[in-house]
Amino acid sequence: MARKGEASAPLYAWVHGDPRKVIYPTDSYGQFCGQKDTINENKTILFYFNILKCASPVVLINLQCPTTQLCVSKCPDRFATYIDVQASYRYKPDQWNYFRQFCKPGFNNPRKSVAQVLRDEDCPSMIIPSRPFLKRCFPDFSTKNGVLTVANQTTFRDGRGKTRNVTDLREAANGINSVLDARSVGVKIFEDYAISWYWILIGLFIAMIVSLLFLVLLRFTAGVLFWIFIFGVIGIIGYGIWHCYWEYDHLKGIPGSDLTVYDIGFQTDFRVYLQLRQTWLAFMILLCIVEVIIILMLIFLRNRIRIAIALLKEGSRAIGYIMSTLFYPIVTFILIAICISYWAVTAVFLATSGEPVYKVMANQTLCKYANLTCDPETFNKTNVTKLCPGAQCTFAFYGGESLYHKYIFIFQLANAFVFLWLVNFAIALGQCTLAGAFASYYWASRKPADIPLWPLFSSFGRAIRYHTGSLAFGALILAIVQLIRVILEYLDHKLKGTQNSFTRFLLCCLKCCFWCLEKFLKFINRNAYIMIAIYGKNFCTSAKEAFFLLMRNVVRVAVLDKVTDFLLFLGKILVAGGVGVLAFFFFTQRIPIFAQEAPALNYYWVPLLTVIIGSYLVAHGFFSVYAMCVDTLFLCFCEDLERNDGSTAKPYFMSASLHRILGKKELSPKKAVG
């Protein structure tokens, strides 16, 4: 069975994996809490016999707390100790019946000595009022007059003859209040999304309309619109600088506003930071730096920007004739979403395809059998309990000893590699499809008469039918480099704290080198796919021809391609910033007309950040088509210059305006076609 699983790991994982191991807590016997058709069907919460043994909430969540864990239907709602319940079980049977539900299943022997019960952990020594969190019982902490309490009590008896303070629970479950505060913040954020999702979608729809409108207007007013674009970004950042200064000056003299972020520490309510002058000063300095950088780049690149605008005008004409290309990113998004879903589900099934592994849990630190694997069915027949009194054979984790389980990490890497390969293939397919559509525009002698009827659909069909192997090969090379980067990050994380200076330096160099290699391969692949779409040659030939073609026109690459990318980046910022400013005024109820319509929010920055990030992604989706169009037209232009000389026999295919701005003296008449 192990060899069969090794040969087809994903199939084995899908057959034997169980995602419930990730979702549901597991007791000390390896059984799920709340699993149907089991004795725990109605017991959905995990209870810890002695939570004082748990060092932190992270330990609890990872099931590493060295105490018996039991599935229960509800958490305790009172203080009680086993000693008191045992002493009074004859005349107060209700107390025993209540306490017994937190003991091991089947235990009903209150006559057993307290020492033996606590040694064997048949029952907990105490129970404390708790509430379920992450399907586990945590102490029900509360604060009364600034004092930490549990059920309005500051002390409790631990069932072992000691009176403890509830702060001991706080120390044992280190950070429990911060986790509960995070839960409170999470609930508030969910509430904000629940009441503002409609307006968030409206904001994203506005971003889509603005992006589409901008791309349509580019066809007619590319030059004017882009300068408006550039100064609009400068204006938005300038407004941000003024607003930060106004807030900074407004807080002057207000008590507490001169405190630093270090003084108040981490706060879950981020509005606290907005009451500090230091916060607005930092924002203002950051925006000033960004403003200066943009202005300096515009000053030094002003002539080159004019050239880039000419190429963008040509790209806007191409998109104007092939408007369907604007919606192709939706296809890429769907394909990538499918890849992510497949990877995530397979990874979960791989991680949960093991068998229950039990280990010896001993109260004595010197027990030589501690943490060794054991069999719960035969454990009581061994001499471990004699040599280590109180030792138990409890569930530890899901795993196994077969070859499949030993190489589970390798299978996870293989799954990640397939994911990277598929994602890169989906991106390559989109790039080749768009390149084919825009190339058909450029090489058409008479535009738009000679453009194919369905250029995008025809290009997609050619990519699928003829170029699948080339696209897959290019995606494979990129996926290998990305997988190496993932492995390097994993090694860096694992060796952190144990590596010497040389190892850190070597890892840093390798990570930097492979990052640069990945960027270079993405650039080469992108242009190789364009050449594949133009000539239909294989990947290696297309990559070589694209590389040397770019090297022969390296100055044009620097001037046109990169400046165009910069301008499109400014466009994304303008769309995201403009919609973000509108959303800010709306969600803070500063627009009188819509003040009554704006929802009452716990944190207005939740929908605001969602709208800003979403708007940027929407603009990126539309502008990525534009960037691909510009890159394709640029390569076609370079090929056109090398293949043709402008004569009647070899006319240029570029438009007259592009030919004039890019430096040719005169455009020869094209050869009549048809």
Side-chain angles (χ1 to χ4, degrees):
M1 179 65 70
R3 292 179 180 176
K4 182 179 179 181
E6 186 179 6
S8 54
L11 178 61
Y12 186 94
W14 281 77
V15 173
H16 297 277
D18 194 343
R20 293 175 302 179
K21 298 172 185 177
V22 178
I23 302 173
Y24 299 105
T26 311
D27 62 14
S28 295
Y29 307 100
Q31 299 174 338
F32 299 123
C33 296
Q35 184 178 359
K36 292 184 178 181
D37 301 325
T38 66
I39 59 175
N40 291 332
E41 181 174 0
N42 298 320
K43 301 177 180 180
T44 59
I45 308 171
L46 194 66
F47 170 74
Y48 297 87
F49 269 33
N50 189 356
I51 200 172
L52 292 172
K53 293 183 178 180
C54 304
S56 70
V58 175
V59 170
L60 296 179
I61 296 172
N62 290 334
L63 306 178
Q64 297 298 322
C65 187
T67 186
T68 299
Q69 300 151 27
L70 190 71
C71 295
V72 295
S73 57
K74 60 181 179 179
C75 295
D77 59 5
R78 67 191 71 173
F79 284 106
T81 64
Y82 179 79
I83 295 176
D84 294 339
V85 171
Q86 186 194 49
S88 61
Y89 80 93
R90 291 182 179 178
Y91 53 90
K92 292 182 179 180
D94 292 341
Q95 292 186 4
W96 168 250
N97 291 333
Y98 179 82
F99 195 94
R100 186 165 61 91
Q101 64 181 323
F102 302 105
C103 298
K104 289 182 178 179
F107 181 80
N108 190 17
N109 185 15
R111 296 181 180 86
K112 188 175 181 178
S113 67
V114 175
Q116 292 178 339
V117 170
L118 299 183
R119 182 198 65 189
D120 299 336
E121 289 201 350
D122 294 319
C123 288
S125 62
M126 63 173 179
I127 58 174
I128 57 177
S130 307
R131 58 179 174 179
F133 174 51
L134 297 176
K135 296 187 177 181
R136 292 161 175 83
C137 291
F138 283 85
D140 190 6
F141 289 114
S142 62
T143 303
K144 186 176 182 181
N145 297 326
V147 179
L148 185 67
T149 64
V150 174
N152 295 325
Q153 295 189 27
T154 58
T155 61
F156 65 96
R157 290 181 295 171
D158 65 358
R160 298 178 183 269
K162 294 182 180 180
T163 299
R164 310 286 290 266
N165 195 291
V166 295
T167 55
D168 294 335
L169 292 173
R170 176 75 173 271
E171 294 174 0
N174 184 27
I176 187 68
N177 273 4
S178 61
V179 174
L180 296 177
D181 289 342
R183 175 179 178 270
S184 176
V185 172
V187 170
K188 290 180 180 179
I189 291 176
F190 178 79
E191 291 175 351
D192 288 342
Y193 277 123
I195 63 177
S196 63
W197 66 270
Y198 178 76
W199 297 105
I200 291 175
L201 291 181
I202 291 178
L204 297 180
F205 180 76
I206 293 175
M208 183 183 71
I209 295 299
V210 171
S211 300
L212 278 173
L213 183 62
F214 167 73
L215 293 179
V216 172
L217 290 177
L218 274 180
R219 184 178 182 183
F220 308 102
T221 58
V224 176
L225 193 59
F226 255 100
W227 285 113
I228 294 175
F229 218 24
I230 292 170
F231 289 111
V233 171
I234 296 176
I236 289 177
I237 298 178
Y239 168 79
I241 294 173
W242 175 85
H243 184 79
C244 291
Y245 174 78
W246 183 87
E247 293 284 358
Y248 175 79
D249 185 68
H250 179 71
L251 291 173
K252 185 177 182 180
I254 297 179
S257 63
D258 291 327
L259 294 174
T260 64
V261 176
Y262 178 79
D263 292 332
I264 65 174
F266 176 75
Q267 301 291 328
T268 56
D269 190 353
F270 293 99
R271 289 175 294 185
V272 174
Y273 298 106
L274 300 180
Q275 306 301 320
L276 303 179
R277 300 186 74 202
Q278 186 188 64
T279 302
W280 293 105
L281 179 62
F283 287 161
M284 184 173 62
I285 293 174
L286 180 63
L287 290 177
C288 286
I289 294 174
V290 174
E291 186 87 327
V292 171
I293 291 174
I294 292 178
I295 292 175
L296 289 177
M297 292 185 69
L298 293 177
I299 291 174
F300 288 105
L301 297 176
R302 61 186 185 278
N303 293 326
R304 297 176 179 179
I305 288 176
R306 185 178 63 87
I307 301 174
I309 290 175
L311 194 60
L312 289 169
K313 287 182 178 179
E314 190 68 15
S316 65
R317 294 190 187 95
I319 292 180
Y321 289 126
I322 316 174
M323 291 293 292
S324 58
T325 54
L326 291 175
F327 300 96
Y328 186 84
I330 298 176
V331 177
T332 302
F333 172 79
I334 294 174
L335 293 177
I336 293 178
I338 294 174
C339 295
I340 294 175
S341 301
Y342 171 80
W343 165 79
V345 173
T346 303
V348 170
F349 273 86
L350 276 171
T352 58
S353 59
E355 300 295 332
V357 175
Y358 300 87
K359 289 192 175 183
V360 177
M361 184 181 65
N363 295 326
Q364 300 178 2
T365 57
L366 298 179
C367 178
K368 64 179 181 179
Y369 296 101
N371 294 324
L372 296 180
T373 57
C374 58
D375 186 351
E377 296 181 359
T378 61
F379 181 73
N380 293 330
K381 299 178 182 179
T382 64
N383 60 349
V384 176
T385 55
K386 297 179 181 178
L387 298 176
C388 302
Q392 300 182 47
C393 183
T394 60
F395 169 79
F397 55 87
Y398 282 94
E401 302 298 331
S402 66
L403 288 176
Y404 172 82
H405 298 105
K406 289 181 180 179
Y407 294 102
I408 193 72
F409 177 73
I410 303 299
F411 294 142
Q412 288 285 20
L413 280 181
N415 183 42
F417 173 72
V418 172
F419 163 72
L420 294 173
W421 193 359
L422 291 176
V423 168
N424 286 311
F425 178 79
I427 295 174
L429 178 62
Q431 292 176 344
C432 187
T433 299
L434 292 174
F438 293 126
S440 66
Y441 161 83
Y442 185 92
W443 297 113
S445 297
R446 296 177 301 174
K447 303 175 179 62
D450 291 340
I451 299 176
L453 182 60
W454 303 101
L456 183 66
F457 182 79
S458 300
S459 178
F460 181 80
R462 289 194 302 271
I464 291 293
R465 183 175 180 181
Y466 300 110
H467 309 318
T468 302
S470 296
L471 300 180
F473 183 71
L476 174 64
I477 297 174
L478 190 56
I480 292 174
V481 175
Q482 291 174 338
L483 182 66
I484 294 175
R485 290 193 62 202
V486 170
I487 295 175
L488 289 175
E489 291 291 345
Y490 174 79
L491 291 177
D492 187 36
H493 175 73
K494 282 294 183 181
L495 298 177
K496 189 171 294 184
T498 60
Q499 53 190 339
N500 54 34
S501 299
F502 176 76
T503 306
R504 288 196 300 269
F505 174 76
L506 181 61
L507 273 177
C508 183
C509 290
L510 288 174
K511 288 164 61 177
C512 180
C513 291
F514 277 96
W515 179 83
C516 295
L517 180 60
E518 180 185 353
K519 295 298 181 182
F520 175 75
L521 286 177
K522 284 183 176 180
F523 176 75
I524 291 298
N525 283 12
R526 181 183 180 91
N527 290 280
Y529 299 146
I530 296 175
M531 298 299 286
I532 290 174
I534 296 174
Y535 294 111
K537 298 180 181 179
N538 61 53
F539 175 82
C540 294
T541 303
S542 299
K544 182 185 69 174
E545 293 181 354
F547 177 77
F548 286 111
L549 179 62
L550 293 173
M551 290 300 99
R552 291 192 297 270
N553 297 272
V554 65
V555 177
R556 289 192 178 103
V557 171
V559 173
L560 300 177
D561 189 55
K562 297 309 173 186
V563 173
T564 300
D565 290 343
F566 173 69
L567 292 176
L568 291 179
F569 175 71
L570 290 181
K572 299 173 191 177
I573 293 180
L574 181 61
V575 173
V579 177
V581 169
L582 180 63
F584 172 78
F585 282 109
F586 175 77
F587 288 117
T588 55
Q589 300 180 350
R590 299 188 183 185
I591 302 179
I593 301 177
F594 298 101
Q596 300 297 327
E597 300 293 335
L601 302 169
N602 297 301
Y603 310 114
Y604 72 86
W605 51 265
V606 171
L608 177 61
L609 288 180
T610 304
V611 169
I612 293 175
I613 296 174
S615 299
Y616 182 85
L617 294 177
V618 169
H620 176 74
F622 286 105
F623 288 12
S624 63
V625 175
Y626 209 92
M628 195 67 197
C629 177
V630 172
D631 289 346
T632 302
L633 296 181
F634 175 68
L635 273 186
C636 291
F637 163 76
C638 294
E639 275 289 295
D640 197 8
L641 290 179
E642 294 191 356
R643 290 172 51 185
N644 304 306
D645 54 11
S647 63
T648 305
K650 294 182 178 180
Y652 290 120
F653 284 82
M654 69 185 73
S655 65
S657 59
L658 182 62
H659 181 274
R660 181 177 61 255
I661 294 178
L662 289 176
K664 289 295 175 181
K665 294 181 180 179
E666 188 175 343
L667 182 63
S668 300
K670 289 182 183 176
K671 191 177 183 179
V673 179

